[in-house]
Amino acid sequence: MKCCLGVILVNILLCFCQKSNPPGAVGTSLALETIIQHSSVDIKPLRNDVSINVLICSRGGGGLLEERMKLVAELWVENIKAEFVPTSDPSLTEQYEYANEHDIKCLVIITDAGVSQKGSVKVRHLELKKEKEIERENLVKFLLEATASQFRNPSIWS
């Protein structure tokens, strides 16, 4: 956030200098820290944001695009940040790479058998190296409880 504000201020100064005579000074100093400290709450970043991004993945079953999209929509309704790899049939490797590139640590993995026969999904936390099979209907409850402890409560994995 500090960087963005600094870039904006520098751009404003450059525009001003280009449209009029340059200022008669050797340099310019901006007290960005002071400006940020006295800025409104709207500009300050939230430091206590405990939300966790979730990547909805598929294994087998032709990509299960429709199921991934439905699951993302359900999680959004519950204010859980979720996304999926925007291709019809991504490999599991592609999905892991996507998670890594977008700094997503929690995966929800759906399979054709899990969706149709068992009604379950797997939740995997990459950083903690934990995995648990959850009934599909309990996924939102599990994610909300797990997010509250940032997935670190051992009882959620047992």
Side-chain angles (χ1 to χ4, degrees), residues 60-78:
L64 302 167
L65 180 61
E66 190 173 319
E67 288 81 2
R68 288 185 289 146
M69 292 171 68
K70 285 179 186 177
L71 193 49
V72 166
E74 286 177 34
L75 295 178
W76 283 1
V77 167
E78 298 295 331

Side-chain angles (χ1 to χ4, degrees), residues 1-157:
M1 188 64 175
K2 294 178 185 178
C3 181
C4 292
L5 186 57
V7 170
I8 292 170
L9 291 173
V10 169
N11 284 333
I12 291 171
L13 286 173
L14 288 174
C15 289
F16 175 80
C17 291
Q18 291 173 353
K19 294 180 180 176
S20 65
N21 293 332
V26 175
T28 303
S29 176
L30 295 175
L32 290 178
E33 289 292 329
T34 305
I35 292 170
I36 291 171
Q37 287 174 355
H38 293 90
S39 66
S40 70
V41 176
D42 296 335
I43 296 176
K44 291 184 180 180
L46 297 175
R47 300 201 189 279
N48 294 330
D49 185 17
V50 296
S51 65
I52 301 214
N53 288 339
V54 177
L55 182 66
I56 307 303
C57 300
S58 64
R59 182 183 306 169
L64 302 167
L65 180 61
E66 190 173 319
E67 288 81 2
R68 288 185 289 146
M69 292 171 68
K70 285 179 186 177
L71 193 49
V72 166
E74 286 177 34
L75 295 178
W76 283 1
V77 167
E78 298 295 331
N79 292 322
I80 297 172
K81 296 176 186 176
E83 56 187 282
F84 61 95
V85 175
T87 58
S88 61
D89 191 9
S91 69
L92 199 56
T93 302
E94 287 176 290
Q95 294 171 94
Y96 271 83
E97 288 171 355
Y98 183 93
N100 187 43
E101 290 168 3
H102 293 86
D103 199 32
I104 299 173
K105 303 294 183 211
C106 180
L107 306 180
V108 174
I109 302 170
I110 60 176
T111 61
D112 194 29
V115 170
S116 62
Q117 296 171 5
K118 294 192 249 178
S120 65
V121 298
K122 284 187 181 178
V123 177
R124 183 176 293 161
H125 196 282
L126 299 177
E127 192 173 75
L128 300 175
K129 295 181 173 59
K130 301 274 186 178
E131 180 177 283
K132 182 172 183 174
E133 192 162 335
I134 306 281
E135 287 185 32
R136 170 78 171 74
E137 60 196 35
N138 295 329
L139 178 63
V140 170
K141 180 182 175 196
F142 175 82
L143 289 174
L144 290 173
E145 289 174 1
T147 301
S149 68
Q150 294 186 340
F151 290 87
R152 299 201 183 274
N153 184 350
S155 68
I156 65 170
W157 298 108

